[in-house]
Structure formats: C-alpha cells, structure tokens
Amino acid sequence: AQKITQTQPGMFVQEKEAVTLDCTYDTSDPSYGLFWYKQPSSGEMIFLIYQGSYDQQNATEGRYSLNFQKARKSANLVISASQLGDSAMYFCAMRELSQGAQKLVFGQGTRLTINP
Amino acid sequence: GAVVSQHPSWVICKSGTSVKIECRSLDFQATTMFWYRQFPKQSLMLMATSNEGSKATYEQGVEKDKFLINHASLTLSTLTVTSAHPEDSSFYICSAYLAGGRVFEQYFGPGTRLTVT
C-alpha cells in the first residue's frame, strides 16, 4: 500500500502567487516524521522542511510552511510568493521504522512550474 | 557543513562491465548511508541501507549480488553495479545520516547518472 501519496503530478503557477502541494500519508506508528525535498533538473535533493508527529505547531522555513493536519494525515507544503527558481520536482517523504532501521519513503512527486 | 559528494557524476559503460560509484561525507562522520535509485520521471526508491563495518541491508527486490555495497569507513560508501545491463541505466543517489542532527535528517549527494550501452 502506498504510504505517501502526492496526487498532483504537475502544477502550474504564476510567479509571486502562493502554491500548495498536497501530500497524504499512511502509518500506524505514533512517532513519525515528514519531510519535503526539492529536486531541480540538476538532480540534487534539497531539504526544505521537516514536521515531527508530536510537533504542536506547523513547521515554517522562510517561504516554506507545512500545513500539518494530523487527523487527516496530510502534510501539505505551502510556498508563498513563488519565484521562477521554485520550478522543480517536489517530493514528500516520511520517516518510518522498518526492521529495526529508520528509512525514508518518498511520494511520487509533483512537478511545479512557475510561469513569469 | 554536512556535505556529501558522489563520484563520478555521470558514467557511460558497456553492457557486461562493472561500475563503482563512491559516496563520501566530506565534513562529518556517517554511521549510516543510504543508496537510492531514480528512474526518469519517477520517485526515489531505496535500494539499501549501509552501515559502517557491517553488511548492507537490501530492500526487497534488489539483487544484493548485482549491487555490491561496501561501507568501509565512516566517510565512504561504495556501490558497485556488477555486470551492468541497459536496464540498470538510472540516476543513483546516496545519502548520509548525521547522527545527533535534526531528527533523521539525511544529507544527499548530487547523484550519479549511469548509462549502460
């Protein structure tokens, strides 16, 4: 079963607008972590933001914020005031404990295109 | 800080040959490194978890005899694709886990693009 689901294969947004990238997850572990990564065309994975399952407040990092709705098991990424350089693939990932080891499970990704 | 390098950044090899990819943590010691594979327009799939001084743990469906992983030191892990075939062509990314850092934050290398002809 898919543990991380990103339902938007592609998003197109006008520059300076805010954009929300959806992510839902599935886990029975009460302790988990959620990450968002950006992958530009160069291929490198750039860490954006992290939300722990016990964190009381939504995480924020500059223009990035995570809309964490625990009961709905969603962890949407909000990018405010989008810029042309935000065009990239975005992956949601969840830290899970499997066979005694921690690992990251990634969603399918969303390709974000910012139009001038 | 927390920089991870990979070498080579891209490699082309002939079918049947072996290719070694290096992953180094440049400014920290990583007890655990991870190897991912990413096919075009797809997500990252974990191949194996590499712990220094012990055998790697492979994900289901990954052939351990084909993808040899050696984590000889706290700063170096290598992935060797043996008897490579065109279907092994992919983008291989490593990451290193910095113990004591933010909760399970992995630092990713820039990736290695492998093309098997």
Side-chain angles (χ1 to χ4, degrees), chain B residues 82-105:
Chain B
T82 62
S83 186
H85 291 285
E87 57 265 31
D88 298 324
S89 297
S90 188
F91 191 57
Y92 292 86
I93 308 174
C94 73
S95 71
Y97 169 47
L98 174 58
R102 277 184 290 198
V103 180
F104 198 56
E105 183 170 1

Side-chain angles (χ1 to χ4, degrees), chain A residues 35 37 39 41-45 47 50 61 91 95 99 101-104 106-109, chain B residues 34 36 38 42-44 46 49 57 59 91 93 97 102-106 108-110 113:
Chain A
F35 299 77
Y37 288 90
Q39 187 180 42
S41 56
S42 59
E44 61 187 305
M45 295 292 285
F47 167 78
Y50 168 80
E61 293 276 359
F91 291 99
R95 167 181 57 86
Q99 298 179 314
Q102 295 192 87
K103 55 187 71 173
L104 283 181
F106 286 84
Q108 309 94 312
Chain B
F34 302 87
Y36 297 86
Q38 185 181 30
Q42 294 188 24
S43 186
L44 279 73
L46 180 65
T49 302
T57 302
E59 294 299 301
F91 191 57
I93 308 174
Y97 169 47
R102 277 184 290 198
V103 180
F104 198 56
E105 183 170 1
Q106 295 184 25
F108 285 84
R113 197 164 300 280

